[in-house]
Amino acid sequence: MTSPTPAQATPTQTTPTQTTPASTKTPHVRVTPTKLADGRELFYFDDSKPYVSGAATRRLDDPRPLPDRAEPFPDPNSGAIQHPTGPEMRFDPLTGE
């Protein structure tokens, strides 16, 4: 499965679920799933009254811009333009791989 591009990364509106202990009928935790701009999932576990009841909800969109991974960027310390090198293999001395 591939990650969505920034243009495709939109918040996912899903139905929150609520957990209810067997001994009571009132929910104690509301689980609200959403997706981050880079495609990772995020779950909010809320146990405070406005969120458990559904009167309030968390912000479900991730407005952070995602830069192009191949785009040059300024070094935060020197200000010099850096060019991404891409993925690299690492040697594991413990396994010899």
Side-chain angles (χ1 to χ4, degrees):
M1 187 165 131
T2 61
S3 297
T5 63
Q8 296 171 329
T10 57
T12 303
Q13 295 291 347
T14 56
T15 306
T17 58
Q18 296 178 339
T19 61
T20 306
S23 61
T24 66
K25 294 292 181 186
T26 58
H28 288 280
V29 176
R30 180 179 179 185
V31 181
T32 307
T34 189
K35 291 217 182 240
L36 297 175
D38 62 1
R40 293 177 294 160
E41 289 184 297
L42 177 68
F43 296 92
Y44 290 104
F45 292 87
D46 293 304
D47 62 354
S48 57
K49 286 189 180 194
Y51 296 107
V52 171
S53 68
T57 188
R58 300 287 178 188
R59 181 177 178 176
L60 297 178
D61 67 320
D62 185 4
R64 296 177 298 168
L66 296 177
D68 183 9
R69 296 185 91 177
E71 182 178 309
F73 58 93
D75 183 275
N77 297 322
S78 67
I81 299 297
Q82 300 288 323
H83 296 277
T85 58
E88 59 185 55
M89 297 291 288
R90 295 185 183 183
F91 178 73
D92 184 353
L94 297 176
T95 63
E97 295 177 346

